[in-house]
Every structure is written in C-alpha cells, then in structure tokens.
C-alpha cells in the first residue's frame, strides 16, 4: 500500500506553501515516514520551528506544533522538553534560522546534550526572504546579497555540532530520501542532542542564481556530491574535492542527557 | 501562624512566585536581579520544578514560553539590558497568549548604565518595548512584602488573561531586606489558565466566540494544536490580510484595557483633602510618603498616589485626582517618562511637574518636600 | 490519499501490477518525477504530471519518494492468486 501521509497531515492544508521543485516536501515526507516507523503517538510529539521556509512545516502536521521566532526554536524547545522530559521534542529549522541568528542556541543545545532532535533544512540560502546568502552558503556561490560570488565562509554544520558537544550528528540529503528516514529514526531514538544536517534544494532563489537548470539537477548534484562517510574517508584529496560525507558522522553514547542529569539531581534531593 | 521572615526584595519575588505555584524558571545572570535566579536555583529542584540558566536572555524568555505551553507556571527575571533582549519573545507570548511572568529589576541608566544603582527608566519599555500593538500589564511594588504579593498577583493575572505580566521594581527595593509575613498556603487564592471543556476535535485555541480569553490547552494533553507568532485565526493557523486581524488585535488589547477594574491597583496616602499630590511608585513612592508626612507636619495639605499597576495606566484615578489638587509632583528615577502619562491624564486640570534624578541614587524625601513647598 | 475537506480530484492509471494516482491540485509541475523515473513512464501535460505509459512502470517508487507535493502515489496491486 502507498504510505498514507494523510494520517499525519492536518486536513485541508495541502498544497503546501513551498515552491515548485523545493525539496522540503521530500524531506517532510521522510520525517513523517520516520515518525510512523517508530509508532509514536502524535500527542507525545512537539514539533517546533523558527522562522523561514522550513519553519512553516509544523503547521501542516497533526502534532503539538509551535512556530516561534527567528533562530529561537531550540530555546523554546528546551523549555518544552524540560517541562515534559518524557515527550518527544523535534525542531525543524533552516540553515539561516539554525546557524546564523540561532547559532548561540544551536551550540548551547549541543553542549547541554538535551534530548531534542534538530533537523536542519540546509538549502544554503535564506529562501523566504528572497535568496540572501547564509552561513552555509559555500564560497563563490551567488546570492542576492553576494551578487558577485560569496566571499564569506561557511560552517561545516556537523563539525560545529560535534565540537559543541552534540552526541549524535548526521548528514542526509533530500535525494537520498530512503536513507534519510533511517537517519531521522536513529536521531530521534538517540538519548541526547541529535542533529541531522539535511541538504536541500531551493530552485527559486538559489538554483536559478547558481546555474542549476532545474530542481532535478539540484537533486542529481546531491546524488554525486554526497558520499557515505566510510567511502568518503577513503577518497584522495582531489577525489574528495567538491564532495561531502553523509550518514552518521559522530555518535557518543556515554554522555549524560541533560534532562536525566537534572531530574537525577531532583531525585537525589528528595532522599 | 503566618511565617515572619527578613527577606531581600529579590528573594521575596522568588518566594512569591513559588507561592503562586511557579514550577519553571529560566533566566540569565544580570545585576541587580540575579538573586531571584539564585534563590530559585536552590528551591525549584527541591520541589521537582525546572530551573534553567540559559545561554542568553532571549533563550531564557523562549524557554519560559515553552515551559508555560507545556503547562508550567513560568517566570524569568532580568534587568534593563536583558529586558531589551527579551522584547521580541515577550511580544510572541502576547500574541500567542501564553501566560508567563517577566521580572525587570530596574537599574540605572541606558546601556550598561549603573548596574548596582536603582532606575525607573525602563518603564516606557515595559509598555512599548516590543514592536507592534499589544496589551501590557506591569506591576510596580515598592516594599519587599509587596514584591511578594505583586508577584503572586502577576501570576494570577497572567494565567487569568493569558498574557505576559511584567513586575518592575528598582534595584534598591530589590536589594533591600525587610520584614515580611509569608501568607499561609491558600490565603491568597490562586488562578489557573482557563481550560478547554470541549473534546480535542472541536478545540479552537484562539476561539473568541465566548469571551476575550480563549480556553488554553497545554501541549501533550491530547489537544494537538498549532501556535504561531503570525497573526492567526481561531484555529491557530496563519491569517494573512483579513479584517479578522484587526478585530483580534482589538480583542488582545481589550483583555487588559477592558479589565482595568480587576487589574489596576494603587495606594493612596492622605489624599482626601490634599492640595498637592505626589504621584510616585517604587522607591520614589517610599521617599514621597515620608515627604508627604513631613509636609503635613508643616501644615501643608499634601498626599500621595502610589500606583501598584503602571500598565494599564490608572487614567481614571489620575484624571479625578487632577480635578481635586492644584499640582501633581512626579518624582522619577528617569528624565521624565511616567510624568508624561500623568500629564496626559491631567489634561491641564492641574499643574504636573516631574522631579528627575538619574545619578544612580534614589530621590530623597527632602528633594520631594522642597518641591511640595514650592507648589504653594 | 490525503483526507481533504472535500475529496481531492484524483487521476488514476492502473494495470495488473500497479495503480498510480496523481492529485492535479497538489502537483506544481516541477517535473522531478518525470525526470527521475528510470523508465520514462511519466510525462507532463499542462504543467501537471501524468502517467505516459503505465506498463513501463517497474514499481521503483522513485516518483512517490521524490515528489515534494504529495501529488503522486504508487500502489502495488496484490498479485492475483
């Protein structure tokens, strides 16, 4: 039977707001499949977002959904999670929302290792506002605020998360959608802060400025440029040029999770 | 037997929050409010409540809203610089109608200013700090005991009207220690947010068909709904250009402006036959009380109007007062902010004059007495 | 497929092996499904996706997997006993 996305989508909300060819819908479907695969009760899930194209996603989903202010989704989510530690708190956030204005909350959520899953919808651009460059836009690429080619530098989001203390860090892409289901499931099942940097395609404000003739070309670029981590490690420097590792890139299982540490303290104080 | 304690103002704020049922605090260290956080850092874990020190004040305000949305009674405390950082999320809580209490222990000056000195120059920010039209409730205690009771009142008003409530007091009142009688549990009735009675399938989070304050379901209780900072309809989903936005914003304002009788509190001292009135809150309210008593001993008919609620501003009361006295003196630890409201409400019926001091020290009774004498 | 208020108009193609549905109102004409279908079973008509030749379909599910708009779904029909 074809997967019934209708089970999770709020009636009458489709067609969604994202542009023709925007890959967010592909990743959105992967997220729904991942939630379904875990058999979670929608009552127990909070889906939090900030501001931007990706941040409109919660409105479509029949969970407890919270569309907050630009960059602050993780901080709102931290409040939700600390108040109800046994619930699932999931954050969707664009590359600008998560690592530019939201950068401080990003690194601290990683450091704190609170049991929240952050899905970064990384399309290398601020799409909602018309195509300005973001902290993940690669050098040389074009954007409305880098009309002569980006002379700024980009975060390696997984490395940033790893360095800040996140205990599950992965990268997926909209093209490798089936593999993404598993990454999201593993991230959500992980006890601790989990980040999945999900490479996405914005044909409208990024693709057109960067010589991608069609949305499909952007997906095919992902197919070529992203290599499973183990294989990537074996590439020679020039083979690796223009390519990036994907899959689970960093995982630590020993670090205490913040809610467990906090409520462990609460228990200790009772005795 | 009520428990009598010697408490610092900031501690009384924390105790008032606990009394009100606060079980969630998120904050960030900032003089002169940090003692509120430190007190709750000791107390909340003991009662299973959440204490969070976040990475900045923006995050603290966000976490408080998240905690409240999950069913907690949530508090944050800060001072001017942090209060400025919280404005955007404060506005989010107002539009999404999520109850929370924000304490601003006001310090001297703009910018970094005089961190260890008192100030009242945040008071307009308490009304207009965040962008866009929005209601504002701001309570202004002047005594340690009042900080306790006004913090409890702040939680009750916040839950009752589903809107953030600000408790603003200056550094002197926040740091001084005074005798306080802690009321017995239950002595002050506590209010919870209006809860839905309909089944989840019929729940509209912002349904205003039965009154200005929609019932609020907490997250994770089976009422899966959407909360957004975009203007939204009764079902919580974004609404773009529509008359609904106008009527909804009027409703948000009416929740507060339409309930002044329940929200506006003030103290009057020897105003019955006063010719000269002093309008003052916080530490200035205390100096003014002494000055009024001294003036009375010199045969001057002076009186004090001390608001415990600055927003919504006690317009009716000030308008009436301006018809009964020749002059209203307004001492403020700013270069004149609340005096503008007094003047607006007096409408020329009497003279209105400010006393301004921003050197990091409180205005003294002598300064106020001197101005009362001039008023004759 | 998706519980809309009123049932969505759905175009359907099927043969012994598979039933493919397209919801024209959801399809935004991005052509991802058409271009990524390994056997060219799909095509565009007035900026909407449609099945060009149902019998070419090998049930690889690429189109449903890649459609960003919930517009196309592929259903394997139970093998006739």
């Amino acid at each position: 039977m074809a997967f019934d996305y209708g089970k999770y989508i709020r009636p009458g909300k489709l067609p969604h707001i994202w542009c023709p060819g925007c890959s967010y819908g592909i990743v959105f479907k992967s997220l729904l499949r991942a939630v379904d695969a875990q058999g979670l009760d929608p009552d127990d899930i909070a889906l939090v977002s900030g501001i931007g194209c990706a941040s409109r996603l919660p409105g479509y989903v029949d969970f407890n959904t919270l569309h907050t202010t630009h960059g602050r989704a993780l901080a709102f989510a931290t409040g939700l999670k600390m108040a109800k530690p046994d619930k699932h708190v999931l954050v969707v956030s664009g590359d600008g929302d998560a690592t530019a204005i939201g950068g401080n909350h990003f690194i601290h959520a990683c450091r704190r290792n609170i049991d929240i899953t952050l899905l970064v919808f990384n399309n290398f651009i601020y799409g909602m506002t018309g195509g300005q460059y973001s902290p993940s836009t690669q050098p040389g690429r074009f954007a409305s605020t880098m009309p002569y080619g980006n002379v700024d530098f980009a975060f390696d989001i997984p490395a940033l998360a790893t360095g800040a203390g996140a205990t599950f860090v992965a990268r997926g892409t909209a093209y490798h959608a089936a593999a993404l289901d598993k990454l999201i499931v593993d991230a959500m099942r992980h006890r601790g802060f989990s980040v999945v940097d999900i490479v996405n395609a914005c044909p409208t404000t990024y693709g057109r400025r960067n010589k991608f003739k069609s949305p499909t070309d952007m997906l095919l670029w992902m197919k070529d440029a992203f290599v499973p981590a183990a294989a990537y490690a074996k590439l020679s420097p020039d083979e690796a040029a223009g390519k990036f590792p994907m899959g689970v890139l960093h995982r630590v299982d020993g670090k205490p999770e913040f809610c467990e540490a906090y409520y462990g303290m609460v228990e200790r104080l009772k005795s | 037997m009520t428990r009598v304690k010697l408490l610092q103002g900031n501690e009384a704020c924390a105790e008032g929050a606990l009394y009100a049922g606060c079980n969630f605090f998120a904050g960030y260290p900032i003089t002169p409010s940090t003692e509120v956080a430190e007190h709750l850092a000791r107390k909340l874990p003991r009662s299973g409540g959440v204490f969070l020190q976040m990475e900045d004040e923006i995050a603290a305000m966000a976490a408080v809203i998240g905690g409240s949305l999950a069913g907690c009674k949530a508090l944050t405390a800060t001072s001017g610089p942090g209060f400025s950082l919280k404005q955007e999320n404060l506005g989010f809580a107002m539009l999404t109608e999520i109850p929370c209490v924000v304490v601003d222990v006001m310090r001297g000056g703009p910018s970094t200013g005089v961190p260890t000195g008192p100030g009242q120059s945040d008071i307009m920010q308490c009304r207009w700090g965040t962008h866009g039209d929005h209601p504002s409730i701001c309570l202004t205690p002047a005594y340690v005991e009042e900080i306790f009771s006004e913090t409890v009142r702040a939680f009750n008003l916040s839950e009752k009207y589903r809107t953030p409530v600000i408790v603003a007091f200056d550094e002197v009142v926040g740091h001084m220690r005074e005798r306080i009688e802690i009321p017995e549990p239950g002595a002050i009735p506590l209010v919870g947010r209006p809860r839905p009675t309909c089944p989840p399938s019929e729940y509209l989070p912002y349904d205003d068909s039965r009154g200005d304050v929609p019932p609020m379901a907490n997250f994770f209780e089976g009422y899966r709904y959407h909360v957004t900072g975009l203007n939204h309809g009764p079902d919580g989903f974004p609404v773009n250009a529509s008359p609904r936005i106008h009527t909804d914003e009027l409703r948000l304002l009416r929740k507060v402006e339409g309930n002044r009788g329940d929200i506006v509190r003030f103290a009057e001292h020897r105003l019955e036959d006063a010719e000269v009135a002093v309008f003052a809150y916080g530490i200035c309210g205390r100096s003014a009380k002494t000055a009024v008593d001294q003036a009375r001993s010199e045969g001057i008919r002076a009186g004090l109007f001390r608001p415990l609620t600055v927003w919504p501003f006690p317009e009716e009361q000030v308008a009436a007062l301006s018809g009964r006295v020749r002059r209203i003196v307004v001492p403020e630890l700013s270069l004149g902010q609340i005096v503008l409201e007094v003047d607006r409400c007096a409408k020329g019926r009497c003279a209105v004059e400010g006393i301004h001091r921003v050197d990091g020290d409180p205005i003294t009774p002598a300064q106020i007495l001197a101005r009362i004498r001039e008023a004759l | 497929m998706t519980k809309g208020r009123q049932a969505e108009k759905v175009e359907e193609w099927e043969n012994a092996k598979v039933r493919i549905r397209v919801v024209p109102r959801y399809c935004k004409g991005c052509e991802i499904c058409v271009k990524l279908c390994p056997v060219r079973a799909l095509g565009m008509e007035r900026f909407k996706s449609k099945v060009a030749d149902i019998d070419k379909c090998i049930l690889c599910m690429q189109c449903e997997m890649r459609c960003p708009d919930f517009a196309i779904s592929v259903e394997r029909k139970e093998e006739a006993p």
Side-chain angles (χ1 to χ4, degrees), chain C residues 1 4-5 14 16-17 22 25-26 29 43 52 55 57 75 79:
Chain C
M1 186 184 68
R5 255 177 269 286
E14 65 180 309
K17 294 182 302 176
V22 170
R25 197 169 73 88
Y26 294 168
D55 295 331
C57 173
E75 191 185 335
E79 299 313 321

Side-chain angles (χ1 to χ4, degrees), chain A residues 6 14 16 18 25 29 33 175, chain C residues 28 64-69:
Chain A
L14 292 179
H16 53 58
W18 298 313
K29 290 163 81 169
R33 292 193 301 267
Y175 178 81
Chain C
K28 293 174 183 164
E64 177 178 322
M65 181 72 79
R66 304 259 182 266
C67 171
D69 293 292

Side-chain angles (χ1 to χ4, degrees), chain B residues 104-127:
Chain B
D104 179 13
V105 187
M106 297 183 285
R107 68 198 215 176
S111 183
T112 310
V114 183
T116 54
Q120 296 180 320
S121 50
D122 299 356
I123 202 65
M124 280 298 176
Q125 184 177 26
C126 292
R127 176 66 186 90

Side-chain angles (χ1 to χ4, degrees), chain B residues 196-256:
Chain B
T197 49
C198 63
S201 53
E202 293 161 23
Y203 179 57
L204 293 173
Y206 299 99
D207 166 29
D208 56 0
S209 58
R210 278 185 296 280
D212 285 344
V213 185
M216 178 174 173
N218 298 324
F219 267 21
F220 308 120
E221 286 179 348
Y223 288 82
R224 298 188 300 277
Y225 66 98
H226 187 56
V227 174
T228 177
L230 287 165
N231 280 99
H232 43 264
D235 57 11
F237 291 103
V239 163
N240 223 335
S242 113
R244 155 85 206 179
I245 293 173
H246 187 88
T247 53
D248 205 39
E249 301 239 347
L250 289 176
R251 173 181 67 82
L252 287 175
L253 214 54
R254 207 170 43 238
K255 284 199 304 186
V256 170

Side-chain angles (χ1 to χ4, degrees), chain B residues 74-149:
Chain B
L75 172 79
T76 187
T78 189
S79 180
F83 191 54
S84 292
L85 289 176
K86 290 177 194 277
Q87 292 303 319
E88 185 189 3
N89 284 341
L90 189 60
F92 180 88
M94 282 180 196
L95 186 75
T96 55
E97 301 181 77
I98 295 173
C100 56
V101 174
V102 179
V103 173
D104 179 13
V105 187
M106 297 183 285
R107 68 198 215 176
S111 183
T112 310
V114 183
T116 54
Q120 296 180 320
S121 50
D122 299 356
I123 202 65
M124 280 298 176
Q125 184 177 26
C126 292
R127 176 66 186 90
W128 295 111
T130 194
H131 59 281
D133 292 305
H134 56 273
S136 177
I137 299 179
C138 176
L139 312 183
T140 48
Y143 297 81
V144 167
E145 200 155 48
E146 262 181 13
I147 290 178
F148 182 99
S149 55

Side-chain angles (χ1 to χ4, degrees), chain A residues 43 62 65 67 69 104 112 262, chain B residues 49 55 89 224 226-228:
Chain A
D43 281 346
D62 187 16
T65 54
H67 178 209
T69 46
N104 196 28
R112 200 170 281 131
Y262 181 84
Chain B
E55 51 270 22
N89 284 341
R224 298 188 300 277
H226 187 56
V227 174
T228 177

